């Protein structure tokens, strides 16, 4: 077993060495003591047992340069011999720390306590011949001793704040500098010192900056820059130190009173300014920051109802208008305004007679041309509906508030308004009103100054139409009255009611205008009446229509009555008077509206027939009347598309020959029925050119007459060198004209030559 500073050793030789080790251990600080107290070193070391291991305490200083390995201790075991060897295990074994054959422990590298302050290792002893472990492993600790190799370090951007006028001894802030050296030794302990500002502040060893005076004033100086030194090894001149800069801000409090910047304020305000109009700003002076300003304003008592004042965002006074101004009554207002403020502290600057706590305010009212002012912003009138004896319903009134006092005229601009107003403001009805159609009207009356470009103003008028009893009552629920074949006498076959468009009508009364042997009427005294069956025996197969005439009186003033027919159906019913089917009756009468509709339809049909006849007569008048029935049939009515040159059978053009010689168709001195056709100059060799000219004229003349009409057939080709192509002077049966020259015109005129008597064989032989 290992022997380490046992009390037993103190009584043996070498006890003084043990005492020195204990004293050294006590002076080495918490790191060393903690290492010695670790669980790896059991408390049995102090027990009086025989041990096989023994060595000196192992300590090494940090940051010691190692040119060669440094011996720091020795392993010793009672079982050590020539055949045994020591071995190390654990943190830094065989690297940072090593052991030789004799048990000497060496450190091979420079250590840094701030990185690692202790190393835990284990030692063993082994027989090199049989490689047998001679004793149990023993754990020990190598402690790295601290040296003052680190300087204090401040955190970045140090700043603090304190309110002005704080009492002496108030803590401004705390500065915490750190030192990486052992804090249980002088190397790691720090003391602080102010390098400036010592007349106002101080700092203790805890790093607390405190005030030395209570008269800090932000308005004089709002910020202080203080230099602080931190040094380790307190009380010793040597040691490491560091310096930093600390910013101390002085916070504002409400310790200054608000005063006016000037003793007089003057404003101009138009008399037509609206309520709430901002007249102006009363600027005040307060050295405190805006959030700490708290001025209060008061207006001279008799003017407080006309003008108001409140604080702005900048803590100035905002003067506003509370009532309308009138230049014609008051042209100038002069009053005083006071400012006051409750501060948290009393300063000499807040006292004295020269402080402007009261200011004089002058308001000059500016005259403007104002529109007329109505005596009321809204008028309400009422009038009864129906015919009126006196159409007047009331009057409106307005005045010119200006000193000029122009005359006021009135008008209503809405043309659909049922009320008219005269120039002096009297309102009257334009036509009779009906409450059942519309019960109220709202319109606008305009008042304008009686001058060119006079100003206008408007007022709303509400007209309520009062009801009179002018509507007759109407029967309701009549469709629910029916008789079942199984109904017995005394059965209520239905309940009727009444409706009146008038309001507040009295109780309705129901009576039968004619007595009925089958039905009776019972007034329920609640605006309803019951129809009661007097005798039964009704049948849907042998029944006639039953109609009761019921008179209804509304009980109004004057009382209105109406007679209403109530048809009663006869029905086959299931139990509970549930209708199965009812007998239908033909309607023998016709309503006036149906009769008017029928008459309107008949009149519409007559008008359409007359228009059709007139149109046809007009068309007949514009048609050309012909003398010959054949011409009328074949030419005037010729509105079909022909078959071209081969169409020789559809219409006999030879009839035109007789028409040409008929004197009734020849042009006279008067206006001709047919238009003259312009004849282009042509000769025998110019036929193609003539056709092209005629085609061009037909294409561009929108008003020209087509060439296949009677006009053209009657007169085309006259005096032409080529002769006429019309068949008016020829017929299909024979002609004294020679058309052989058509064969000379080419193949295009072959068919035409055949039509006018040229032999086909000759024509063929000529080609």
């Amino acid at each position: 077993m290992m022997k380490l500073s046992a009390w037993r050793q103190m009584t043996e030789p070498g006890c003084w060495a043990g005492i020195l080790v204990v004293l050294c251990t006590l002076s080495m600080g918490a790191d060393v003591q903690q290492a010695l107290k670790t669980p790896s070193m059991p408390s049995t070391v102090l027990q009086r047992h025989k041990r096989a291991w023994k060595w000196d305490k192992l300590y090494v200083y940090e940051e010691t340069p190692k040119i060669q390995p440094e011996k720091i201790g020795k392993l010793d075991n009672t079982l050590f011999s020539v055949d045994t060897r020591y071995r190390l295990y654990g943190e830094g074994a065989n690297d940072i720390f090593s052991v030789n054959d004799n048990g000497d422990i060496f450190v091979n590298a420079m250590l840094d306590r701030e990185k690692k302050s202790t190393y835990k290792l284990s030692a063993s002893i082994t027989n090199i011949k049989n490689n047998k472990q001679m004793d149990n492993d023993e754990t020990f600790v190598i402690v790295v001793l601290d040296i003052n190799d680190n300087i204090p370090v401040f955190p970045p951007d140090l700043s603090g704040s304190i309110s002005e006028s704080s009492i002496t001894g108030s803590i401004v802030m705390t500065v915490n500098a750190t030192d990486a050296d052992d804090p249980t030794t002088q190397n790691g302990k720090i003391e602080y010192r102010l390098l400036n500002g010592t007349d106002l502040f101080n700092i203790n060893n805890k790093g607390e900056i405190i005030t030395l005076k209570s008269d800090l004033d932000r308005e004089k100086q709002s910020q202080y820059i203080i230099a602080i030194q931190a040094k380790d090894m307190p009380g010793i001149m040597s040691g490491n130190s560091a310096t930093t800069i600390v910013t101390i801000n002085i916070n504002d409090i409400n310790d200054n009173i608000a005063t006016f910047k000037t003793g007089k304020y003057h404003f101009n305000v138009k008399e037509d300014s609206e309520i709430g109009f901002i007249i102006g700003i009363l600027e005040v002076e307060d050295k405190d920051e805006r959030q700490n300003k708290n001025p209060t304003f008061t207006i001279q008592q008799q003017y407080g109802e006309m003008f108001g004042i409140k604080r702005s965002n900048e803590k100035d006074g905002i003067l506003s208008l509370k009532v309308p101004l009138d230049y014609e009554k008051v042209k100038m207002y002069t009053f005083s305004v006071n400012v006051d403020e409750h501060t948290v502290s009393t300063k000499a600057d807040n006292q004295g007679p020269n402080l402007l706590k009261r200011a004089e305010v002058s308001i000059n009212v500016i005259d403007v041309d104002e529109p007329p002012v109505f005596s009321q912003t809204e008028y309400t009138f009422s009038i009864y509906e129906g015919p009126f004896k006196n159409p007047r319903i009331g009057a409106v009134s307005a005045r010119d508030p200006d000193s000029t006092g122009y005359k006021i005229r009135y008008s209503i601009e809405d043309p659909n308004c049922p009320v008219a107003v005269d120039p002096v403001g009297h309102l009257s009805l334009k036509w009779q009103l009906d409450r059942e159609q519309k019960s109220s009207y709202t319109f606008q009356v305009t008042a304008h100054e009686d001058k060119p470009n006079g100003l206008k103003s408007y007022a709303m008028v509400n007209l309520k139409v009062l009801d009179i009893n002018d509507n007759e009552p109407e029967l309701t629920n009549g469709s629910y009255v029916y008789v079942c074949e199984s109904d017995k006498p005394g059965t209520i076959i239905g309940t009727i009611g009444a409706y009146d468009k008038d309001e507040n009508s009295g109780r309705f009364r129901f009576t039968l205008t004619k007595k009925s042997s089958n039905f009776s009427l019972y007034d329920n005294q609640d605006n309803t009446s019951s129809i009661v069956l007097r005798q039964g025996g009704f049948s849907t197969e042998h029944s006639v229509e039953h109609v009761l005439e019921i008179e209804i009186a509304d009980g109004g003033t004057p009382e209105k009555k109406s007679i209403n027919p109530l048809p009663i159906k006869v029905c086959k019913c299931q139990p509970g008077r549930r209708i199965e089917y009812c007998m239908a009756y033909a309607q023998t009468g016709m309503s006036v509206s149906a009769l008017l509709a029928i008459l309107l339809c008949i009149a519409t049909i007559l008008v359409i027939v007359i228009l059709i006849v007139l149109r046809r007569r007009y068309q007949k008048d514009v048609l050309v009347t012909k003398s010959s029935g054949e011409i009328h049939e074949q030419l005037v009515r010729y509105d079909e598309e022909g078959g071209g040159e081969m169409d020789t059978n559809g219409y006999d053009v030879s009839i035109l020959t007789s028409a040409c010689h008929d004197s009734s168709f020849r042009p006279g001195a008067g206006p001709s029925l047919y238009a003259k056709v312009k004849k282009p100059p042509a000769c025998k060799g110019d036929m193609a050119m003539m056709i092209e000219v005629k085609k061009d004229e037909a294409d561009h003349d929108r008003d020209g007459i087509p060439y296949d009409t009677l006009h053209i057939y009657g007169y085309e080709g006259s005096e032409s060198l080529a002769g006429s192509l019309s068949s008016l002077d020829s017929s299909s049966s024979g002609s004294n004209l020679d058309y052989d020259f058509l064969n000379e015109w080419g193949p295009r005129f072959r068919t035409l030559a055949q039509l006018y008597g040229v032999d086909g064989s000759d024509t063929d032989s000529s080609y």
Side-chain angles (χ1 to χ4, degrees):
M1 298 296 293
M2 180 181 67
K3 300 177 181 180
L4 178 63
S5 304
W7 291 105
R8 182 180 178 183
Q9 293 177 340
M10 296 180 63
T11 61
E12 297 176 355
C15 64
W16 291 109
I19 294 173
L20 292 175
V21 170
V22 172
L23 293 175
C24 183
T25 302
L26 294 176
S27 65
M28 289 180 182
D31 288 343
V32 178
Q33 296 175 20
Q34 182 65 28
L36 295 176
K37 293 179 181 178
T38 56
S40 61
M41 298 181 65
S43 61
T44 56
V45 298
L46 299 179
Q47 302 298 325
R48 300 181 65 182
H49 294 290
K50 183 179 179 180
R51 302 179 62 86
W53 287 97
K54 58 182 179 180
W55 59 75
D56 296 332
K57 292 299 180 181
L58 304 180
Y59 301 97
V60 60
Y61 279 99
E62 66 171 335
E63 305 294 343
T64 302
K66 298 297 184 289
I67 301 175
Q68 59 183 1
E70 177 187 357
K71 180 181 177 181
I72 60 173
K74 182 178 178 60
L75 295 175
D76 189 11
N77 191 287
T78 57
L79 301 178
F80 178 76
S81 66
V82 178
D83 297 329
T84 58
R85 295 291 184 269
Y86 293 104
R87 290 185 174 88
L88 290 179
Y89 304 96
E91 298 175 341
N94 303 317
D95 180 16
I96 300 176
F97 305 102
S98 61
V99 62
N100 61 14
D101 294 341
N102 297 323
D104 296 326
I105 300 175
F106 295 91
V107 58
N108 303 318
M110 186 171 61
L111 304 180
D112 189 351
R113 191 203 67 85
E114 285 71 40
K115 294 182 179 179
K116 191 171 181 62
S117 60
T118 60
Y119 293 85
K120 295 180 181 181
L121 294 96
S122 298
S124 66
I125 183 170
T126 307
N127 190 317
I128 60 176
K129 290 184 178 181
N130 55 15
N131 201 26
K132 180 179 178 181
Q133 187 171 343
M134 303 300 294
D135 197 357
N136 295 331
D137 293 347
E138 186 71 12
T139 301
F140 62 95
V141 177
I142 298 177
V143 179
V144 181
L145 301 178
D146 182 49
I147 65 173
N148 191 15
D149 59 340
N150 290 282
I151 64 174
V153 177
F154 286 99
D157 302 328
L158 289 175
S159 64
S161 63
I162 189 171
S163 298
E164 60 179 332
S165 301
S166 296
I167 61 175
T168 302
S170 299
I171 298 176
V172 179
M173 61 180 295
T174 300
V175 178
N176 289 315
T178 59
D179 194 322
D181 293 326
D182 187 356
T184 61
T185 65
Q186 292 293 95
N187 298 336
K189 294 181 180 180
I190 299 175
E191 65 178 358
Y192 300 93
R193 184 168 67 93
L194 297 183
L195 302 182
N196 68 318
T198 55
D199 57 331
L200 298 174
F201 305 99
N202 189 22
I203 188 170
N204 56 27
N205 288 334
K206 296 180 181 179
E208 296 174 343
I209 300 177
I210 59 177
T211 59
L212 298 178
K213 295 182 179 181
S214 61
D215 58 351
L216 294 176
D217 191 350
R218 187 200 66 86
E219 287 73 37
K220 293 181 179 179
Q221 186 170 349
S222 62
Q223 189 178 80
Y224 294 89
I225 305 299
I226 303 297
I228 300 177
Q229 183 189 67
K231 189 183 77 67
D232 56 15
M233 302 187 70
I236 302 176
M237 294 299 296
S238 62
N240 299 321
S241 65
T243 305
T244 189
I245 298 299
V246 175
T247 301
I248 299 178
N249 297 307
I250 308 301
N251 296 332
D252 182 55
I253 62 173
N254 187 13
D255 59 345
N256 291 279
I257 194 169
T259 59
F260 288 109
K261 288 186 176 182
T262 180
K264 292 185 178 181
Y265 294 89
H266 183 78
F267 304 102
N268 294 321
V269 183
K270 294 182 179 180
E271 64 172 330
D272 61 347
S273 298
E274 298 180 354
I275 296 176
F277 173 76
I278 296 178
I279 298 174
I281 305 296
L282 304 183
E283 295 182 350
V284 298
E285 185 175 9
D286 191 337
K287 297 179 181 179
D288 294 326
E289 293 180 346
R290 185 173 65 179
Q291 68 272 15
N292 294 317
K293 296 179 181 180
N294 190 28
T296 57
F297 301 90
T298 55
I299 298 178
Q300 190 175 341
Q301 185 175 4
Q302 58 267 36
Y303 296 93
E305 296 181 356
M306 298 192 63
F307 306 99
I309 189 169
K310 61 181 181 179
R311 282 197 304 264
S312 66
N313 294 333
E314 301 297 330
K315 304 304 174 72
D316 294 322
I318 301 177
L319 189 64
S320 61
L321 187 64
K322 296 174 66 175
V323 296
L325 301 177
D326 191 347
Y327 173 82
E328 285 70 29
K329 293 182 178 180
V330 180
K331 298 178 176 60
M332 174 71 74
Y333 294 91
T334 301
F335 53 89
S336 62
V337 178
N338 295 333
V339 61
D340 193 12
E341 185 174 13
H342 297 285
T343 59
V344 297
S345 65
T346 303
K347 298 173 63 175
D349 296 342
N350 295 337
Q351 308 295 328
N354 296 327
L355 296 177
L356 293 177
K357 295 184 178 182
R358 173 176 295 183
E360 182 181 281
V361 178
S362 299
I363 298 177
N364 182 35
V365 182
I366 300 175
D367 186 27
V368 296
D369 188 7
E370 300 176 273
V373 178
F374 279 94
S375 59
Q376 299 176 215
T377 57
E378 187 172 344
Y379 294 84
T380 301
F381 301 102
S382 60
I383 191 170
Y384 283 100
E385 64 175 330
F388 49 81
K389 297 180 181 179
N390 182 10
R392 182 173 177 180
I393 61 175
V396 296
S397 175
R399 64 177 181 85
D400 184 5
D402 296 322
S403 57
T404 53
Y406 288 106
K407 184 179 179 181
I408 305 300
R409 293 190 174 274
Y410 305 88
S411 63
I412 298 177
E413 299 177 358
D414 184 4
N416 299 320
C417 180
V419 179
V421 62
D422 61 15
V424 296
H426 295 153
L427 302 175
S428 59
L429 286 179
K430 294 163 61 176
W431 56 73
Q432 178 178 313
L433 302 180
D434 187 354
R435 190 202 65 85
E436 286 69 40
Q437 293 182 358
K438 193 171 183 179
S439 60
S440 63
Y441 295 87
T442 300
F443 54 92
Q444 201 174 60
V445 177
T446 304
H448 52 90
E449 298 173 338
D450 192 8
K451 68 171 184 176
N453 300 322
L455 299 179
K456 297 180 180 181
S457 61
Y458 305 91
M460 297 301 299
V461 178
N462 300 314
L463 177 62
K464 182 179 180 181
V465 183
L466 303 178
D467 183 52
I468 63 174
N469 194 22
D470 59 344
N471 290 279
E472 296 179 352
E474 301 175 7
L475 180 67
T476 60
N477 299 331
S479 59
Y480 298 100
V481 180
Y482 58 92
V483 179
C484 293
E485 292 180 332
S486 59
D487 285 343
K488 304 298 182 182
T491 301
I492 297 177
I493 63 173
T495 301
I496 59 174
Y499 166 74
D500 196 333
K501 296 179 181 179
D502 297 320
E503 64 181 6
N504 301 324
S505 59
R507 186 179 63 82
F508 295 107
R509 300 194 310 275
F510 302 86
T511 56
L512 289 175
T513 58
K514 297 179 181 179
K515 291 185 177 182
S516 173
S517 59
N518 296 320
F519 308 98
S520 61
L521 183 68
Y522 177 76
D523 194 338
N524 297 324
Q525 305 296 320
D526 60 354
N527 291 334
T528 63
S529 181
S530 300
I531 308 299
V532 182
L533 184 64
R534 300 183 65 178
Q535 61 181 6
F538 288 89
S539 174
T540 56
E541 297 179 357
H542 305 88
S543 179
V544 295
E545 184 179 13
H546 300 277
V547 178
L548 297 181
E549 292 185 353
I550 300 176
E551 182 182 79
I552 305 175
D554 61 8
T557 304
E559 188 175 62
K560 290 288 184 178
K561 298 180 179 181
S562 65
I563 297 176
N564 301 268
L566 176 62
I568 300 177
K569 299 174 290 185
V570 179
C571 305
K572 183 178 289 294
C573 301
Q574 298 178 359
R577 302 193 81 247
R578 289 179 297 166
I579 296 177
E580 185 174 344
Y581 73 90
C582 297
M583 184 67 182
Y585 300 101
Q587 295 289 338
T588 57
M590 181 178 295
S591 64
V592 176
S593 59
L595 183 59
L596 291 176
I598 293 174
L599 293 177
L600 181 61
C601 292
I602 294 174
T604 303
I605 293 172
L606 290 176
V607 171
I608 293 174
V609 170
I610 292 172
L611 291 175
I612 292 174
V613 171
L614 292 176
R615 178 176 176 81
R616 289 185 176 179
R617 179 174 296 177
Y618 175 76
Q619 290 177 348
K620 288 182 180 180
D621 292 341
V622 299
L623 293 177
V624 179
T625 306
K626 64 180 180 177
S627 301
S628 172
E630 294 177 345
I631 295 177
H632 180 277
E633 190 67 26
Q634 294 189 16
L635 297 179
V636 178
R637 292 286 184 171
Y638 186 66
D639 54 359
E640 299 179 5
E641 182 178 357
E645 295 179 351
M646 302 302 296
D647 188 7
T648 58
N649 298 322
Y651 297 93
D652 189 2
V653 188
S654 62
I655 192 67
L656 296 176
T657 303
S658 60
C660 181
H661 296 284
D662 192 351
S663 60
S664 61
F665 284 95
R666 295 189 178 275
S672 174
L673 178 64
Y674 305 104
K676 294 290 185 69
V677 180
K678 181 179 180 181
K679 308 177 186 61
C683 62
K684 183 175 182 180
D686 297 332
M687 179 56 66
M689 182 184 70
M690 180 194 73
I691 293 175
E692 293 298 326
V693 171
K694 301 299 288 183
K695 285 171 56 181
D696 185 75
E697 290 181 355
D699 291 339
H700 295 85
D701 187 5
R702 294 182 300 175
D703 301 324
I705 301 174
Y707 285 91
D708 58 347
T709 61
L710 180 62
H711 304 66
I712 304 303
Y713 281 117
Y715 295 99
E716 73 174 352
S718 178
E719 299 179 357
S720 174
L721 297 178
S724 176
L725 298 180
S726 175
S727 60
L728 292 176
D729 296 330
S730 63
S731 64
S732 61
S733 59
S735 174
N736 56 358
L737 296 177
D738 185 8
Y739 295 98
D740 291 340
F741 65 91
L742 294 176
N743 293 322
E744 300 175 3
W745 290 0
R748 295 183 179 180
F749 296 90
R750 182 181 303 169
T751 303
L752 188 61
Q754 292 175 358
L755 292 176
Y756 288 90
V758 180
D759 188 9
S761 60
D762 296 337
T763 306
D764 294 338
S765 61
S766 63
Y767 288 92

